[in-house]
Amino acid sequence: MNQRVAAAIDIGGTNTAIGLVTAEGRLLAKTSILTTDHPTPERLVEGVAASIQGLLKQTPGTVPVHIGIGAPNGNYFKGTIEFAPNLLWKGIVPLASLFQDRMNLPAVLTNDANAAALGELYYGAARGMKDYLFITLGTGLGSGVVVNGQVVYGHDGFAGELGHTIVIQHGRPCGCGRRGCLEQYCSSTGLVRTYAEIMRSTGAEKRHPDGEPDARGIYELALAGDEDAFYAFNYTGEMLGFALANAVAITSPEAIFLFGGIAAAGELLFNPTQISFEKNLLNIYKHKVKLLPSGLPENDAALLGAASLAWNEWKTES
């Protein structure tokens, strides 16, 4: 008996992950290719298609029914990647239609954070919830907003960019071209910048002759009792809690999930975030909104998110 699977694709600036996922969220097989080895979208589609065929041979009896794609600057409505700064291809790329034509399968695409937010609903800790926020804390800050069980896309497909809300006017420059965006303070990049600023203010650069530590290095320093590293996490949490409290006033979620990157620091980040969050909440929301770690496995979360997007679309069309 044949088993239906979704072909899940997660496109990153360096690597593209590919997997076969059942409707129940079992990742049967996965692989990856270098995004940077494919200078055009068409070349990437060919590489991914070949990888999918290889995975299908590894899993006899599996039949792909839909393709789900998570990608930076992905537009769900149009199936396009639009002006993604970390990809080689510029402008607007009709990636979903390229996959449909090549694989002869329906394909759906969205922003990678939106895909992961849907994955939390299907396969993570948001099962049974209808209203929540999903925050990814990697190199930048990604976010997905779910209201009444549906990802919020807005009128143009780009809603939910919490990482590019301005939290400090005239603050740190951001890759989007503006200044003071949340992701410049609450991300791995933001943590490193905060720690560097603290060291400069205290004249402590000489403690690290090999250069500034990365986010993991700062985490390890904090665990070892480094006060500056601890304060860097504290400041990051204060900023994140403040921003999340403001976001609650817009959607009134049941929970907020933190995923990836510096979220893995556990209490070092969650404690100051929780304190700042409750401090800044409007009274009608206090002690009502749960701040939780994601229930998705970090290594496979992107593929599960892309698969949930595919299965959601397949069920809608069936």
Side-chain angles (χ1 to χ4, degrees):
M1 182 176 174
N2 289 333
Q3 182 175 33
R4 294 189 181 103
V5 293
I9 303 164
D10 176 66
I11 298 173
T14 303
N15 294 299
T16 291
I18 306 110
L20 302 180
V21 183
T22 68
E24 299 75 29
R26 286 192 297 125
L27 181 58
L28 301 181
K30 66 177 179 177
T31 188
S32 66
I33 60 176
L34 284 172
T35 310
T36 50
D37 280 352
H38 302 82
T40 67
E42 291 80 6
R43 288 273 296 276
L44 181 80
V45 170
E46 287 298 324
V48 171
S51 296
I52 291 173
Q53 293 301 325
L55 294 178
L56 291 171
K57 289 179 181 178
Q58 293 176 29
T59 53
T62 53
V63 178
V65 297
H66 219 106
I67 299 170
I69 309 161
N73 288 39
N75 187 318
Y76 171 76
F77 293 139
K78 298 179 180 179
T80 53
I81 295 176
E82 303 191 13
F83 307 101
N86 295 324
L87 295 178
L88 294 174
W89 332 312
K90 304 306 177 185
I92 299 175
V93 179
L95 200 67
S97 63
L98 290 176
F99 271 107
Q100 286 179 179
D101 294 343
R102 174 61 179 81
M103 300 291 296
N104 196 29
L105 286 170
V108 60
L109 174 149
T110 192
N111 176 277
D112 41 11
N114 285 337
L118 196 58
E120 194 74 58
L121 179 63
Y122 269 65
Y123 308 125
R127 279 175 283 196
M129 294 186 185
K130 290 187 175 182
D131 301 272
Y132 62 92
L133 304 179
F134 182 89
I135 310 295
T136 64
L137 299 168
T139 305
L141 188 150
S143 55
V145 180
V146 176
V147 173
N148 198 28
Q150 301 292 321
V151 175
V152 174
Y153 290 110
H155 85 281
D156 61 353
F158 291 114
E161 286 288 350
L162 187 62
H164 292 290
T165 55
I166 293 174
V167 290
I168 295 183
Q169 193 173 19
H170 311 303
R172 295 172 182 171
C174 182
C176 73
R178 303 193 302 168
R179 301 183 73 94
C181 289
L182 179 64
E183 73 168 36
Q184 294 304 315
Y185 300 89
C186 301
S187 63
S188 298
T189 304
L191 179 70
V192 169
R193 293 185 70 171
T194 295
Y195 186 66
E197 288 176 2
I198 293 168
M199 288 204 302
R200 282 195 296 272
S201 69
T202 59
E205 292 98 330
K206 292 181 180 178
R207 287 187 301 170
H208 304 293
D210 296 330
E212 295 179 0
D214 59 11
R216 180 169 184 81
I218 296 168
Y219 167 71
E220 292 171 349
L221 286 167
L223 290 182
D226 185 294
E227 291 185 5
D228 290 341
F230 181 81
Y231 181 75
F233 269 102
N234 200 56
Y235 178 78
T236 302
E238 286 180 5
M239 296 293 289
L240 183 59
F242 169 77
L244 295 179
N246 283 334
V248 164
I250 300 171
T251 65
S252 186
E254 178 180 349
I256 300 173
F257 296 95
L258 304 185
F259 171 81
I262 59 174
E267 291 184 358
L268 269 175
L269 181 72
F270 272 82
N271 283 350
T273 302
Q274 183 74 58
I275 292 168
S276 175
F277 180 60
E278 288 294 340
K279 175 184 175 182
N280 287 290
L281 276 173
L282 194 62
N283 282 337
I284 56 174
Y285 302 117
K286 285 186 182 294
H287 310 298
K288 291 181 180 179
V289 185
K290 298 183 283 286
L291 188 65
L292 301 169
S294 169
L296 294 173
E298 184 161 1
N299 290 341
D300 299 323
L303 287 177
L304 291 176
S308 66
L309 181 70
W311 282 116
N312 184 63
E313 201 75 9
W314 181 79
K315 291 175 182 178
T316 301
E317 295 174 357
S318 298

